[in-house]
Amino acid sequence: MTNLIEVSGVSKRFGGVVANSQISLKVPEGSITGLIGPNGSGKTTLFNSVVGYHPIDEGSITFEGREISNLRVQQIARLGMLRTFQQTRIYGKMNCMDNMMISVPQRQMPLARMFSKFPREVIERAEAILEFVGLYQKRLLPAGSLSFGQQKLLEFAMALINEPKVLLLDEPTAGINPTLINGLIDRLRHANQDFGITLFVIEHNMRVIMNLADNIYCLAHGEMLAHGSPDEIQDDQRVVDAYLGAH
Amino acid sequence: MTAAGRKRASPASIIGHAAILVFGLAAPFVFPSYTFQIAMLWIMILFALTWDILGGQMGYNSLGNILFFGAGMYISAVVQISLVYDVAAYTSAFGAVKVDFTTAQYFTGIGLGIVAAALACTVFAVIFGSMVFGLRGPYFAIGTLGVALAAGELVGGWDYVGGGSGISMPVYPGEPEARSLFFYTLCFVSAISTFVFLKWAYSGRFKTTINAIRDDEEKAEAMGIHTVRYKIVAWGIAAFFLGISGAIFGNMAGFIEPLEVAFPTITFGIFMVVMSLLGGKGTLWGPVLGATLFHIIKEVSWTYLLGWQWVALGTLIIVNVVFFQQGILGWAQEKWPAFFGIVVDDKLSAKGAVASEAAE
Ligand SMILES: Nc1ncnc2c1ncn2[C@@H]1O[C@H](COP(=O)(O)OP(=O)(O)OP(=O)(O)O)[C@@H](O)[C@H]1O
Ligand SMILES: [Mg+2]
């Protein structure tokens, strides 16, 4: 299996705070790779570095073998690497359909298409994916009027219609009703297996990540603590200590 | 209306559009003594529509759009004069030079002036946009205001274009009635063109993209949307039509000078904002409605409440921003969401069952 993302020796400081120190990891193509760690351990910071949200202090990040640490967010997104936000971000005043249609990939978009209408196929695809996440009925409502959990589903649907190669999900199940979590896990798996989207997932819910991921990285205090299969991580004393508050 | 909810034009909408057209065409003949005021109404509608592209649809509150109005006015003046005279000689030795444009020179000049104003203002918008689009929120508002104020001052100190004492525009070669009809037509056509262009531009990807920038620009960037490109094009469109309106207004006024006529930041510059907010920003019809109401109230209060007219306008603004923040159309949309296509669908899927059936 080739590696879609390779992070080597990446560090990121905010003033005196070292949020990431010498982080290295690999996200194999087609995998579901997990990233766990206590609050403030630097998970979101690492995501931000990977997608080009802020410049890194040192190290290298490649996507499909190409160095991307010097590219901007939009350029990286158009290469096919997308992220969702921990705080969930959707276009609140636009309805769900518009949220979807504006998320179709803009990899090659000639200037002349700036004013074009959305073709029938796009509308149908948007409807189909909204149906897939269970939001079809609400498709004409402003996205901001949805519940928090529904907004998370919408954000996920928006990412799907963009057909990324890899999707970085920052706590996809946070705030989702426990009874719906299994449904979400199924959908994530489906996206991975049937749509072929590689997933890189930050998750605090251990049951979810152990269930979902085929390999897991664990951060603590901005450093890489452990890496392994779900079973190995579960049994790793360092990981247990980190979570049990050896903070 | 979004692509998803697109409807065929209803009879009511066709009648509405036709009524506006008929009013526009007949007004100077039916109300000849109000031709100038109605011409100004069309300019106000153009102002509100173009302000709303950024302020309403894209969420960038510009206080400096008047820049393009003034720039268009001066560009047109320079083009018109330079066709026949040396501009510096015309402006400095005014009165000494015998100003005489033939009919052909006059109309060629005004035509070229309008085209030049539109194009040059679009170019300005691109240059200016790449400078100020780094600013967000209130900083953008203040930054654009600063540029518009500075432009007025700069032109005031620039002798080539007459400095603070302005330029007398070429004199219309004809009767006053023909003159007022000519400028009325220009104002009417420019406002209708702006409306029709925006109606088209707002029917697809362009509108959805600038709305996305308004709702969450960082998210739009994270989704790989070409935000910078859209922002600059949006402003270019506003500048294009504002440049045209400036060129027309300068000629209609007959005399232009920087502070009161070309860059009136605190009157026209603010009216643009107020009219959009009043009618409902971020909608196509809101600015039209707002401009119409505002203009009528303004004209009436100037006639009947002289001395109190600013108080009346101030009150209107306060009522608007305190009680009707969404503007008239925004308020209507909240009250009758279904009319605006904001509905929960009974169906669970595009092909599938109705929710109530599925529940059984
Ligand atoms: N923009 C920023 N400016 C300053 N400090 C920051 C910034 N972003 C993150 N940090 C700091 O970096 C550290 C790591 O934060 P990060 O958000 O990456 O943690 P996390 O692992 O995602 O935590 P959580 O599980 O709570 O989401 C924290 O100490 C945080 O305060
Ligand atoms: Mg985080």
Side-chain angles (χ1 to χ4, degrees):
Chain A
M1 233 193 296
T2 57
N3 293 315
L4 211 48
I5 302 175
E6 283 190 31
V7 173
S8 12
V10 167
S11 299
K12 178 70 192 173
R13 277 176 288 275
F14 295 107
V17 181
V18 182
N20 285 155
S21 161
Q22 292 289 330
I23 304 292
S24 299
L25 57 78
K26 297 182 171 71
V27 178
E29 186 166 7
S31 70
I32 300 182
T33 300
L35 181 61
I36 62 171
N39 290 124
S41 56
K43 305 180 296 296
T44 300
T45 303
L46 184 64
F47 265 26
N48 284 336
S49 300
V50 171
V51 300
Y53 183 75
H54 51 215
I56 54 177
D57 297 329
E58 58 177 334
S60 134
I61 302 168
T62 62
F63 176 56
E64 297 185 305
R66 169 181 176 185
E67 182 67 34
I68 55 164
S69 56
N70 50 354
L71 298 185
R72 286 179 297 113
V73 170
Q74 283 124 309
Q75 295 170 309
I76 295 177
R78 291 197 284 268
L79 290 178
M81 169 165 2
L82 226 57
R83 66 92 62 89
T84 64
F85 289 88
Q86 185 167 357
Q87 297 84 7
T88 306
R89 296 173 87 157
I90 40 90
Y91 309 116
K93 293 201 190 108
M94 290 158 57
N95 70 28
C96 298
M97 280 302 282
D98 284 344
N99 270 269
M100 293 297 288
M101 289 188 295
I102 198 57
S103 302
V104 297
Q106 301 207 340
R107 264 144 232 159
Q108 304 97 22
M109 201 182 70
L111 276 174
R113 288 247 313 272
M114 280 187 84
F115 292 95
S116 62
K117 299 208 188 334
F118 294 104
R120 190 73 240 166
E121 314 88 76
V122 168
I123 297 172
E124 277 163 11
R125 250 184 79 63
E127 287 179 349
I129 296 177
L130 282 178
E131 193 182 329
F132 172 65
V133 299
L135 287 176
Y136 180 83
Q137 280 186 292
K138 312 255 165 145
R139 72 193 187 287
L140 298 178
L141 299 184
S145 71
L146 301 180
S147 74
F148 179 75
Q150 289 172 328
Q151 292 186 12
K152 277 207 113 95
L153 291 170
L154 175 62
E155 193 185 29
F156 175 54
M158 288 158 68
L160 288 186
I161 202 173
N162 194 274
E163 298 173 345
K165 294 175 185 140
V166 55
L167 182 55
L168 282 67
L169 297 156
D170 199 341
E171 302 194 23
T173 67
I176 299 241
N177 179 338
T179 58
L180 293 179
I181 285 187
N182 286 338
L184 185 65
I185 295 178
D186 286 345
R187 289 185 175 112
L188 290 175
R189 270 225 191 78
H190 184 80
N192 177 249
Q193 281 163 12
D194 301 340
F195 301 164
I197 302 173
T198 303
L199 299 178
F200 187 20
V201 187
I202 295 179
E203 188 51 68
H204 275 302
N205 185 327
M206 284 304 147
R207 185 177 69 80
V208 170
I209 198 73
M210 294 302 162
N211 224 312
L212 191 65
D214 31 53
N215 72 103
I216 297 175
Y217 288 89
C218 179
L219 284 179
H221 303 294
E223 289 175 19
M224 190 58 77
L225 192 65
H227 173 223
S229 69
D231 290 338
E232 287 164 354
I233 288 291
Q234 227 158 359
D235 297 337
D236 193 309
Q237 194 53 41
R238 293 167 304 172
V239 176
V240 175
D241 287 346
Y243 269 91
L244 291 184
H247 232 313
Chain B
M1 186 75 358
T2 64
R6 203 182 295 142
K7 293 187 214 133
R8 302 222 117 255
S10 67
S13 130
I14 293 170
I15 292 170
H17 285 91
I20 291 172
L21 269 185
V22 169
F23 168 79
L25 293 172
F29 305 103
V30 181
F31 314 104
S33 43
Y34 293 104
T35 305
F36 178 76
Q37 278 82 354
I38 302 173
M40 283 310 294
L41 168 63
W42 295 115
I43 292 208
M44 290 294 162
I45 289 176
L46 187 153
F47 279 174
L49 280 170
T50 50
W51 185 83
D52 193 62
I53 302 172
L54 256 72
Q57 301 283 358
M58 204 172 90
Y60 272 74
N61 295 307
S62 162
L63 292 179
N65 276 12
I66 199 71
L67 171 77
F68 302 119
F69 176 73
M73 197 179 290
Y74 269 93
I75 289 161
S76 179
V78 168
V79 168
Q80 287 172 255
I81 295 165
S82 64
L83 278 183
V84 185
Y85 293 95
D86 175 56
V87 178
Y90 180 96
T91 51
S92 62
F94 185 73
V97 177
K98 185 174 165 354
V99 196
D100 200 8
F101 292 81
T102 66
T103 304
Q105 282 170 342
Y106 182 85
F107 287 110
T108 318
I110 225 171
L112 287 177
I114 291 174
V115 171
L119 297 181
C121 284
T122 310
V123 173
F124 279 169
V126 173
I127 297 169
F128 183 26
S130 41
M131 284 156 46
V132 292
F133 276 135
L135 304 172
R136 300 279 156 95
Y139 302 100
F140 180 81
I142 298 303
T144 48
L145 177 64
V147 177
L149 289 171
E153 293 299 327
L154 281 176
V155 170
W158 190 12
D159 288 338
Y160 178 73
V161 293
S165 47
I167 307 177
S168 276
M169 298 297 288
V171 177
Y172 182 85
E175 297 300 312
E177 290 77 28
R179 182 183 194 276
S180 84
L181 207 57
F182 173 68
F183 284 111
Y184 176 86
T185 309
L186 288 180
C187 294
F188 174 59
V189 170
S190 61
I192 296 293
S193 311
T194 309
F195 180 87
V196 170
F197 179 84
L198 289 179
K199 192 176 166 74
W200 169 76
Y202 288 168
S203 65
R205 197 184 295 271
F206 176 75
K207 176 184 156 81
T208 321
T209 309
I210 60 177
N211 285 174
I213 293 171
R214 172 197 66 197
D215 284 2
D216 191 338
E217 186 168 350
E218 232 173 51
K219 172 72 178 176
E221 289 172 356
M223 295 299 290
I225 294 176
H226 294 273
T227 48
V228 176
R229 190 187 286 181
Y230 275 93
K231 287 197 288 188
I232 289 180
V233 169
W235 218 12
I237 294 169
F240 180 90
F241 288 108
L242 278 171
I244 292 176
S245 73
I248 296 170
F249 185 85
N251 280 285
M252 184 160 84
F255 169 76
I256 68 176
E257 59 78 56
L259 297 182
E260 299 282 318
V261 183
F263 301 97
T265 322
I266 57 154
T267 53
F268 287 172
I270 297 298
F271 292 172
M272 295 177 182
V273 188
V274 174
M275 294 184 296
S276 296
L277 297 186
L278 180 63
K281 65 179 173 150
T283 61
L284 179 62
W285 281 100
V288 178
L289 193 63
T292 309
L293 258 177
F294 180 87
H295 189 62
I296 292 172
I297 293 172
K298 176 174 158 296
E299 289 300 315
V300 168
S301 60
W302 249 252
T303 313
Y304 298 104
L305 292 171
L306 206 62
W308 290 88
Q309 72 271 40
W310 288 107
V311 178
L313 280 190
T315 312
L316 177 70
I317 294 172
I318 291 168
V319 170
N320 180 199
V321 298
V322 174
F323 299 105
F324 279 93
Q325 278 188 7
Q326 302 301 317
I328 297 164
L329 278 193
W331 169 81
Q333 195 156 319
E334 257 168 37
K335 202 148 163 51
W336 300 286
F339 181 78
F340 295 88
I342 304 170
V343 290
V344 179
D345 201 329
D346 279 342
K347 286 188 298 183
L348 288 169
S349 75
K351 302 158 194 70
V354 169
S356 53
E357 289 170 8
E360 282 166 17

